[in-house]
Amino acid sequence: MLAPALLAKRRNGLVSQARLIWKIQQRPIAMFIVIALLVVMSVMGFHRLKLDFDFSDYFSPSEPRFMALQSMSEKFERHDQLWMLLETSADWREDESQQLLIDFIERLEANSDIKSVQGYNQFLQGTAQVEKLLSYKTHPRLSSVLSDDGQAVLLRLQLQQQTLSNSHSANLLSQNALSQSQWLDGVLQTIDSDSQRFWQPTAVNVYLNGTHALNWQYAKVLRHDLSWFAPGLLGSIFFMALLFIRQKMWIMALCFNSAVTLTLTLGLAAWCQLTLAAISAFVPVIVVTLGLAYASHLYFAWQAEVRAGNSQDNALKTTVKANLAPLFYSSITTIFGFSLLTLSPSPPI
């Protein structure tokens, strides 16, 4: 007894959806005005969109273990670190190599974004603690910044992170829409390029490590993937559309629908002040792909109706009625599937 009632209820729901679609189609000017207003509102909110590539964004701020880690970092000053490894075939304990290293340290310290430089240079500059050490004993911390063969040294760079949390950083964020990740990307890019340029004549290899370097490298990998994956995917879809969907108006409609959907999605994320971390950077690609997949069902069904002898208008109505149920319920299952990700404690998801 329940099955017929459920079928009738579902049928009535689909009929009401079809009626709504036809009513909207009867007022195309009003429809385009509403869409244009929504697009304008979305574009106006783009400056509120937050972009970040910090690993800490993958953890909920209310997670007890994450809070304990933050508390430990503050109490013991265990902040994000940036290490620089310098490797060469020569020995860093030689006078010529030491003088070059001192010159390099002075160049690093001249960078306003670098608060201090520590490591092997402290032993060259005489700032390492030497109290209560026997004269014939090696400093206990020397082996942690100098390799046994003397061909590799470590430097620890402390950045001026506090400039991002004061009023000056707030002005930068509001005026130039710079996030901490973008600031860090610029700083590390400058440090890396300057270091490579300085040591290139002497064949010294420079490597960056630590949490700062990992975040920076992760952002570079993400940008690289998006730079070829997203255009490649959209290009292949558009190429397939040119081969199989030979109606220019349909292709224009598909592109217009995808652009509007993508703009509204990013606009909603911006006005909600959501943070787009690396894990959610591929969401726009997924949105466009799903939109094109759904629209292609309508096109091929419409084309079959036209070939069967129906007029284009009747073919469109028949196609919408036939595909309304599968597209509607596939959208519901997609929404439900992505909604399950809200159970994750990771805020970006």
Side-chain angles (χ1 to χ4, degrees):
M1 295 297 293
L2 292 177
L6 291 176
L7 289 175
K9 186 175 181 180
R10 185 182 69 175
R11 190 180 300 110
N12 293 334
L14 295 177
V15 169
S16 61
Q17 292 180 43
R19 290 176 179 174
L20 179 61
I21 292 175
W22 306 135
K23 289 182 180 180
I24 293 176
Q25 279 193 333
Q26 292 174 0
R27 299 173 177 83
I29 297 179
M31 178 186 66
F32 280 105
I33 291 176
V34 172
I35 293 176
L37 290 177
L38 292 176
V39 169
V40 171
M41 290 181 61
S42 299
V43 173
M44 289 176 60
F46 278 2
H47 71 281
R48 301 165 61 94
L49 195 63
K50 298 179 180 179
L51 299 175
D52 213 341
F53 303 102
D54 196 327
F55 286 116
S56 63
D57 288 325
Y58 287 84
F59 304 96
S60 173
S62 60
E63 171 67 28
R65 287 173 292 185
F66 181 74
M67 295 175 63
L69 177 62
Q70 294 294 97
S71 177
M72 182 195 72
S73 300
E74 294 177 359
K75 291 180 179 179
F76 298 97
E77 296 186 357
R78 301 292 296 178
H79 302 297
D80 291 337
Q81 298 180 356
L82 177 62
W83 288 89
M84 179 180 291
L85 172 65
L86 302 176
E87 285 186 335
T88 181
S89 57
D91 196 323
W92 286 105
R93 291 166 293 193
E94 297 177 357
D95 294 339
E96 182 178 357
S97 298
Q98 289 184 356
Q99 184 59 47
L100 283 174
L101 184 59
I102 292 176
D103 295 340
F104 177 66
I105 298 301
E106 292 178 353
R107 175 169 296 191
L108 288 178
E109 292 176 340
N111 190 333
S112 60
D113 292 311
I114 299 178
K115 184 178 180 180
S116 65
V117 181
Q118 301 174 354
Y120 180 67
N121 62 297
Q122 294 178 283
F123 297 93
L124 299 181
Q125 298 170 332
T127 58
Q129 295 290 338
V130 295
E131 293 84 354
K132 300 181 180 179
L133 291 179
L134 299 177
S135 59
Y136 58 88
K137 288 286 186 179
T138 303
H139 196 287
R141 289 197 299 110
L142 182 61
S143 60
S144 64
V145 293
L146 177 68
S147 62
D148 294 336
D149 57 5
Q151 296 181 354
V153 294
L154 278 176
L155 303 176
R156 186 167 71 90
L157 281 62
Q158 186 175 356
L159 303 181
Q160 294 279 8
Q161 287 181 279
Q162 67 271 17
T163 59
L164 291 176
S165 58
N166 56 21
S167 58
H168 177 63
S169 67
N171 293 332
L172 286 177
L173 291 174
S174 60
Q175 295 175 4
N176 303 323
L178 292 176
S179 67
Q180 182 169 349
S181 296
Q182 292 171 307
W183 172 85
L184 182 63
D185 177 72
V187 172
L188 294 190
Q189 189 67 39
T190 301
I191 293 175
D192 183 64
S193 59
D194 290 347
S195 302
Q196 299 290 348
R197 192 181 305 110
F198 181 89
W199 293 111
Q200 186 176 7
T202 57
V204 174
N205 297 321
V206 182
Y207 305 98
L208 298 179
N209 203 345
T211 50
H212 281 316
L214 290 176
N215 286 328
W216 178 55
Q217 185 63 32
Y218 194 40
K220 291 175 62 177
V221 171
L222 177 65
R223 282 195 297 268
H224 171 269
D225 291 346
L226 287 176
S227 65
W228 69 265
F229 179 78
L233 177 62
L234 298 181
S236 62
I237 293 175
F238 187 72
F239 181 71
M240 296 296 291
L242 291 178
L243 288 179
F244 298 101
I245 304 178
R246 300 179 181 179
Q247 299 285 338
K248 293 182 179 180
M249 291 302 298
W250 274 88
I251 295 178
M252 292 176 59
L254 292 177
C255 296
F256 176 76
N257 179 70
S258 299
V260 170
T261 304
L262 180 59
T263 303
L264 296 181
T265 302
L266 294 177
L268 179 62
W271 283 108
C272 293
Q273 293 187 336
L274 302 179
T275 299
L276 295 185
I279 196 171
S280 56
F282 287 93
V283 168
V285 179
I286 298 173
V287 170
V288 172
T289 304
L290 289 176
L292 291 174
Y294 288 166
S296 64
H297 287 288
L298 293 176
Y299 169 76
F300 287 112
W302 171 82
Q303 191 179 53
E305 291 292 331
V306 172
R307 289 177 179 176
N310 292 335
S311 64
Q312 292 189 0
D313 291 340
N314 291 333
L316 184 59
K317 291 182 180 181
T318 304
T319 298
V320 173
K321 289 180 180 179
N323 288 273
L324 188 59
L327 292 181
F328 174 74
Y329 287 107
S330 62
S331 299
I332 292 298
T333 54
T334 302
I335 293 172
F336 178 74
F338 277 96
S339 297
L340 292 178
L341 294 176
T342 58
L343 300 177
S344 170
S346 182
I349 297 180

